[in-house]
Amino acid sequence: MEEGGSGGSGGSDSSTSGSGGAQQRELERMAEVLVTGEQLRLRLHEEKVIKDRRHHLKTYPNCFVAKELIDWLIEHKEASDRETAIKLMQKLADRGIIHHVCDEHKEFKDVKLFYRFRKDDGTFPLDNEVKAFMRGQRLYEKLMSPENTLLQAREEEGVKYERTFMASEFLDWLVQEGEATTRKEAEQLCHRLMEHGIIQHVSNKHPFVDSNLLYQFRMNFRRRRRLMELLNEKSPSSQETHDSPFCLRKQSHDNRKSTSFMSVSPSKEIKIVSAVRRSSMSSCGSSGYFSSSPTLSSSPPVLCNPKSVLKRPVTSEELLTPGAPYARKTFTIVGDAVGWGFVVRGSKPCHIQAVDPSGPAAAAGMKVCQFVVSVNGLNVLHVDYRTVSNLILTGPRTIVMEVMEELEC
């Protein structure tokens, strides 16, 4: 989490800083609700829950039936019961993310009424906060592209921080990408992003200055949210796990030589077995299955599968030797609400260390001991698991993986 708080040097501004802190927390909550709502909207479109519907000879485009959606939420373990599902959707309604198609019902009801996401009918209110949020999200997506190297681990005042950008380099990049026409305009944009809690100085000590100071994004826009998080009144930043690549945190020097592949669950409904989406940004060590308390405690994760599943080391050259006893297989895996459901480990080549039996990867046919050949057409035989995990994390929800499986394994 962030350190230093307001960093003040006395108590004279306590009321002001308290007010600013409350405003910041409200902005963070708003951002989390927007991201969660958008992820749900895309899933509902993909699964045809949102579609054109007719009633009394009138067609209502891109809408869903409240009662059917509650069934879907329970079926997909996004809600434990109908009452909880109603509360979750009411949260989205209160934030103006969904509404009744005729705006005749402010409350979300467990009946056969049509509701719609405002983003699907162009009625979403674009106030300054939302505009800043959407701008920040677009910049985040650009920075997450594989060819972008602006975000790196760097040191400031003797402390190493992950996924940082230098202010002066960021301004150059904004102008180069056409996000601003001049450095002054780019700097004004960065001030707005800071004001709305989207970026922040790594130790929360400085405003945005055109300098060599380091900054980070405050939230991981791509982290797959669970709807149940909407009912958590704590600051959203407390929900970022140690796997979140862009949460404000120092690079740990006491990782017990273990990587992420850990899912810190905000509710008991989240599978303890983690997915690659929850991983890949840890800096060192070995990887395996980890589990943690279902609450957001600070207790260390319990190592469940620390040792390699391979019977013996295998080189990339051995896999590619003509006549070698390995068969190639290709899987298309669509991530679900938690991720893809497998763990990658090793280096040159990487291998599948663990597979969640109930996850998308297992459904596609993935098994332990398979060696990863390519991810979305990119050959990865000569890289380590961190690179492979990063490719998956920064890529699309649907991944195509080619593996090699030992015929005798």
Side-chain angles (χ1 to χ4, degrees):
M1 306 315 306
E2 304 118 70
E3 295 192 359
S6 61
S9 58
S12 59
D13 295 329
S14 59
S15 60
T16 303
S17 63
S19 174
Q23 181 183 16
Q24 183 61 54
R25 287 190 295 273
E26 176 57 25
L27 289 173
E28 290 178 354
R29 279 193 290 268
M30 179 205 71
E32 285 294 324
V33 175
L34 289 175
V35 174
T36 304
E38 178 61 9
Q39 290 181 354
L40 177 63
R41 185 184 74 88
L42 295 175
R43 287 180 66 193
L44 296 179
H45 271 288
E46 184 176 328
E47 301 202 19
K48 310 300 182 185
V49 177
I50 294 177
K51 58 186 178 182
D52 296 351
R53 301 175 186 271
R54 290 182 62 83
H55 182 66
H56 289 171
L57 303 180
K58 182 177 180 180
T59 299
Y60 296 87
N62 293 323
C63 63
F64 58 88
V65 179
K67 190 176 185 66
E68 292 179 3
L69 177 60
I70 291 176
D71 293 337
W72 186 91
L73 292 174
I74 294 174
E75 178 185 351
H76 289 76
K77 295 183 172 55
E78 291 288 355
S80 56
D81 51 54
R82 306 191 78 81
E83 181 181 357
T84 301
I86 293 172
K87 290 180 180 178
L88 291 169
M89 298 310 297
Q90 188 62 49
K91 285 277 187 180
L92 297 183
D94 292 342
R95 291 284 183 171
I97 294 174
I98 64 169
H99 68 120
H100 178 252
V101 291
C102 298
D103 290 318
E104 296 176 354
H105 302 274
K106 291 186 178 180
E107 294 183 353
F108 190 86
K109 300 179 179 180
D110 186 5
V111 293
K112 292 185 177 180
L113 288 175
F114 291 170
Y115 289 81
R116 184 186 290 128
F117 281 80
R118 288 191 179 276
K119 195 167 183 179
D120 284 332
D121 60 16
T123 62
F124 193 81
L126 294 177
D127 55 22
N128 289 335
E129 285 78 11
V130 173
K131 288 179 180 178
F133 167 82
M134 295 178 69
R135 188 73 176 274
Q137 186 174 30
R138 186 172 77 243
L139 295 175
Y140 181 97
E141 293 295 336
K142 280 188 174 183
L143 292 170
M144 285 289 284
S145 63
E147 63 272 12
N148 195 298
T149 59
L150 194 65
L151 299 171
Q152 297 181 18
R154 298 179 175 91
E155 286 190 11
E156 185 170 293
E157 296 182 351
V159 179
K160 192 169 186 178
Y161 297 89
E162 294 184 13
R163 294 284 170 167
T164 69
F165 58 86
M166 190 178 297
S168 57
E169 293 180 357
F170 190 51
L171 295 177
D172 292 337
W173 180 82
L174 289 172
V175 175
Q176 179 183 340
E177 290 293 312
E179 294 289 344
T181 55
T182 64
R183 289 183 66 83
K184 183 177 181 180
E185 182 181 327
E187 191 168 0
Q188 291 173 345
L189 170 59
C190 292
H191 287 307
R192 290 198 300 273
L193 294 177
M194 283 202 72
E195 178 185 347
H196 290 93
I198 296 170
I199 63 174
Q200 183 170 322
H201 178 250
V202 289
S203 60
N204 202 17
K205 293 180 179 178
H206 301 281
F208 189 89
V209 182
D210 185 357
S211 63
N212 291 337
L213 290 174
L214 302 181
Y215 297 81
Q216 292 173 311
F217 277 80
R218 286 181 57 88
M219 66 182 299
N220 177 2
F221 289 91
R222 285 191 172 187
R223 179 177 69 84
R224 297 296 292 275
R225 272 70 174 174
R226 299 287 294 191
L227 277 179
M228 288 297 295
E229 294 178 29
L230 296 179
L231 301 182
N232 190 336
E233 295 301 324
K234 295 181 180 180
S235 172
S237 59
S238 67
Q239 297 171 7
E240 294 289 356
T241 77
H242 293 290
D243 305 315
S244 301
F246 288 89
C247 63
L248 277 173
R249 61 187 176 92
K250 295 178 182 178
Q251 192 174 55
S252 174
H253 295 287
D254 184 25
N255 283 351
R256 293 177 176 83
K257 302 299 181 183
S258 62
T259 105
S260 339
F261 295 111
M262 177 182 70
S263 178
V264 178
S265 310
S267 80
K268 292 183 180 180
E269 293 179 358
I270 297 181
K271 293 181 178 66
I272 288 180
V273 174
S274 74
V276 175
R277 172 79 67 176
R278 301 279 193 209
S279 68
S280 79
M281 291 301 179
S282 180
S283 59
C284 60
S286 63
S287 153
Y289 265 162
F290 286 80
S291 67
S292 67
S293 166
T295 59
L296 288 170
S297 68
S298 59
S299 58
V302 179
L303 190 59
C304 301
N305 191 13
K307 296 182 179 180
S308 173
V309 295
L310 296 180
K311 297 177 182 178
R312 62 179 180 82
V314 175
T315 65
S316 299
E317 290 72 21
E318 181 179 344
L319 291 176
L320 298 175
T321 301
Y326 296 96
R328 287 182 181 249
K329 295 185 177 182
T330 302
F331 305 125
T332 299
I333 307 170
V334 181
D336 61 12
V338 181
W340 292 275
F342 65 96
V343 172
V344 180
R345 187 180 178 183
S347 177
K348 305 179 182 181
C350 302
H351 65 270
I352 305 302
Q353 170 72 8
V355 179
D356 177 0
S358 61
M366 181 174 283
K367 300 176 182 178
V368 297
C369 296
Q370 292 172 336
F371 297 95
V372 184
V373 177
S374 67
V375 176
N376 294 329
L378 183 64
N379 189 292
V380 294
L381 277 174
H382 301 285
V383 300
D384 65 8
Y385 71 87
R386 282 182 286 263
T387 303
V388 172
S389 298
N390 191 47
L391 281 172
I392 296 171
L393 179 70
T394 58
R397 182 181 176 187
T398 300
I399 58 174
V400 179
M401 291 185 63
E402 184 181 12
V403 302
M404 296 188 76
E405 178 179 307
E406 190 172 6
L407 297 177
E408 300 175 359
C409 184

